[in-house]
Amino acid sequence: MSAAVGDLVGRGASGEDLGTPSESLSVLNMWDADPALGRVVLTVEQIAKRVAELGKMITADYADRPPLLVGVLKGAFMFLADIAREIQLPLELDFMAVSSYGRSTKTSGVVRILKDLDIDLTGRHVLIVEDILDSGLTLSYLRKSLLARGPKSLAVCSLLVKRSTEPRPDLELAYVGFEIEPEFVVGYGLDVAERYRNLPDIRVYLAGEPT
Ligand code: IMP
Ligand code: MG
């Protein structure tokens, strides 16, 4: 971290400025000072508004059959935490962690399960909660894997979908937060090499997609 960023963080940590109206601004400035970050694609307010809308839709659609939300770690952790609180139903939560083999080899579609679910899916109404859909291969694999476990229903909710001219596997996306341009983005759970997950909004990562 640069000295400038350290200074901003240190000021809050000293305790002197805590509780002042400028406190949240100084946190945002840390990100504004980062040369690797480009324009804000989605603001904190836009995300919160859309997540609340999705939560209402899911609440209505699942009123008579509370869902099991399956969060795909790590990218979806923040979205999952927020949307779960916007769903007014006695839902259940579980997590899966997957890693796509070499994002450069987009045709392979081979996904490794790093952490599997604890809960048995038999007879449950499962809703996969994903951060972002690019080629769709990760989700396609996940859907097949979860379908084989006998859920009563299976649907997908993805916060972001990248606009694409390439055909995608049919994923029956029931809920989509935003369609975005095919740029590499970070923040609100999305990372590049494990960084920027705690950026509160979603921004373009200027250094390009990691290989
Ligand atoms: P897909 O299999 O090509 O759809 O890739 C989806 C996965 O790649 C997501 O779950 C993310 O983990 C990651 N990913 C794709 N695009 C981005 C991005 O712009 N920023 C951060 N991660 C991304
Ligand atoms: Mg992901």
Side-chain angles (χ1 to χ4, degrees):
M1 262 190 198
S2 71
V5 169
D7 286 345
L8 285 166
V9 173
R11 216 178 40 175
S14 76
E16 284 169 30
D17 289 339
L18 288 181
T20 64
S22 61
E23 184 60 22
S24 62
L25 273 180
S26 72
V27 172
L28 277 183
N29 285 344
M30 177 185 103
W31 304 110
D32 291 343
D34 188 332
L37 295 177
R39 80 171 195 287
V40 175
V41 177
L42 294 164
T43 64
V44 169
E45 293 75 21
Q46 284 175 310
I47 296 168
K49 182 168 174 275
R50 187 63 182 143
V51 171
E53 286 169 3
L54 292 175
K56 279 206 183 70
M57 289 184 223
I58 294 168
T59 302
D61 295 350
Y62 285 85
D64 54 348
R65 43 169 193 143
L68 165 65
L69 302 188
V70 170
V72 185
L73 296 173
K74 300 172 193 172
F77 85 96
M78 209 173 276
F79 178 41
L80 182 73
D82 284 345
I83 199 157
R85 283 176 289 183
E86 298 289 349
I87 300 172
Q88 304 283 315
L89 295 170
L91 54 76
E92 296 173 299
L93 283 172
D94 206 351
F95 300 91
M96 255 182 120
V98 297
S99 94
S100 317
Y101 276 124
R103 285 188 37 79
S104 46
T105 52
K106 290 194 172 180
T107 45
S108 86
V110 180
V111 174
R112 197 158 47 111
I113 295 180
L114 303 175
K115 187 230 170 282
D116 210 335
L117 299 170
D118 297 326
I119 300 179
D120 180 7
L121 299 191
T122 315
R124 284 194 161 81
H125 296 283
V126 177
L127 182 58
I128 301 176
V129 178
E130 244 297 32
D131 52 356
I132 187 167
L133 202 114
D134 188 4
S135 70
L137 292 174
T138 305
L139 256 183
S140 172
Y141 174 89
L142 261 181
R143 275 191 82 244
K144 279 188 202 123
S145 166
L146 299 193
L147 265 179
R149 306 179 192 192
K152 207 158 190 181
S153 70
L154 181 67
V156 175
C157 172
S158 185
L159 177 69
L160 307 173
V161 173
K162 281 193 194 178
R163 225 182 285 282
S164 167
T165 48
E166 310 233 332
R168 285 204 182 97
D170 182 17
L171 298 167
E172 294 174 59
L173 277 173
Y175 309 95
V176 172
F178 303 91
E179 205 180 29
I180 63 166
E181 296 306 314
E183 298 169 300
F184 200 83
V185 293
V186 292
Y188 195 65
L190 292 154
D191 74 312
V192 57
E194 298 301 331
R195 284 193 58 206
Y196 300 111
R197 292 197 197 274
N198 62 327
L199 168 64
D201 49 24
I202 294 175
R203 303 188 188 197
V204 172
Y205 181 70
L206 292 176
E209 189 171 339
T211 46

